[in-house]
Amino acid sequence: MNKNRKKKVLALASTFALAALAAATFAWFASEDQKTNHFEGQIATGKDIEVVETFEPPTEWDPGSEVNKDVAIQNIGKYKALIRVSLTETLQLLKDHQAKPTTGAELEGKTNKNIYVLPGTDAPAGFTDSTFDSTGAPKITVAAGDFAGVYTLKVKEKSETVGTKTTYTYRYAFEKGGVLYYASGIDGFERNATNQIKVKSGTPTLSYVALEYNTFEKEWTTAPIYAPTFTQDGTLVWNVPAATGSSNIQISFNNITTDPKVADKWYFNAADGYFYYTSVLNPGVNTTQLMDAVKLLGTAGNEYSKLIYDLTVKGQGIAAYKDAVDDWLPAGVNDPLATALKGLVPAK
């Protein structure tokens, strides 16, 4: 085999993004932003390996919930290869996650990429529609942009009579086009003799969050090398805190070993931040599974509202020969690992 073939390095990337929402006193922790789950080939002289993944984009990514993401590498070339994998994370957190009131001005001309308007919830069973007096239901009008339209305050009520006294409980939200939006700024309602209502005091407002982000990035293999602690969970799973997210995001791995001489496992090399496959990968064969899931832990607070998280898995393959190992693991990087890999392959 010629020198170029021995030195051939191939890469492929697989990226997925998870997006989530968080709640204060209202429920709006539901995923809307997961949009990226694709493969990108970074090719030197051919495409000989491929990231093989099983990933179902979540409809909700609540704190404490786990998203399945199975990842392995396949040799789709003609020659035996050694495999390693690196990870890159990008986390975007809102600059200001606190919801703010608006009577519409902040929504004018804005798009869904600029602004998030908090959704409302319908009243539970047992509530009936309230009727406004001649002043009519409060409305908010937005003239242009993705939020254009008329938002009308919808109120539902439930009465409870004890003796001669009747108490009313209200639930309310703005409605536009059949969709409910969170309403705030209302200090109760007054009823007239015909049981029609009007807002007692306050200004009904929508609530919004500006989608402006701070971005945190970490490539595990770039100095300072990320070398997390692997915590075994049962016999098959090893958990690791993500490099971003202040330990609120957890990545779960399979088939991890601390002995590079154990076949068909993944050895994490803390010296360079790569996962090395401990067997030669034959053509048409997959590695054992490396990644299992990603979890947003219950410790995540409202600062993770509307987060955008990208985890990129980059696989590299190199011709299965001893001198090719030196390209990845020069002397002194991790000699026991280099020796173990060289023991799997011929000299030329």
Side-chain angles (χ1 to χ4, degrees), residues 272-291:
D272 62 12
Y274 283 94
F275 292 85
Y276 287 82
Y277 193 54
T278 59
S279 293
V280 174
L281 192 61
N282 292 318
V285 177
N286 288 6
T287 65
T288 55
Q289 184 173 314
L290 168 62
M291 191 175 295

Side-chain angles (χ1 to χ4, degrees), residues 112-185:
N112 290 313
K113 293 182 178 180
N114 308 132
I115 295 289
Y116 177 77
V117 178
L118 274 60
T121 56
D122 203 356
F127 282 74
T128 59
D129 291 336
S130 299
T131 302
F132 278 90
D133 64 14
S134 59
T135 60
K139 300 179 187 296
I140 291 176
T141 300
V142 177
D146 287 350
F147 303 100
V150 177
Y151 300 77
T152 302
L153 188 67
K154 300 291 184 180
V155 181
K156 291 189 175 184
E157 62 189 46
K158 184 178 182 180
S159 63
E160 181 180 9
T161 300
V162 178
T164 60
K165 184 177 181 180
T166 300
T167 301
Y168 290 89
T169 302
Y170 300 96
R171 297 287 184 271
Y172 51 87
F174 279 103
E175 184 272 335
K176 179 176 76 78
V179 179
L180 296 178
Y181 298 87
Y182 185 80
S184 60

Side-chain angles (χ1 to χ4, degrees), residues 20 22 29 91 93 245-246 248-249 296 300-307:
F29 209 115
L91 174 65
L93 296 178
S246 302
N248 290 301
I249 299 173
L296 182 65
N302 280 1
E303 66 272 21
Y304 286 79
S305 306
K306 267 298 206 177
L307 73 85

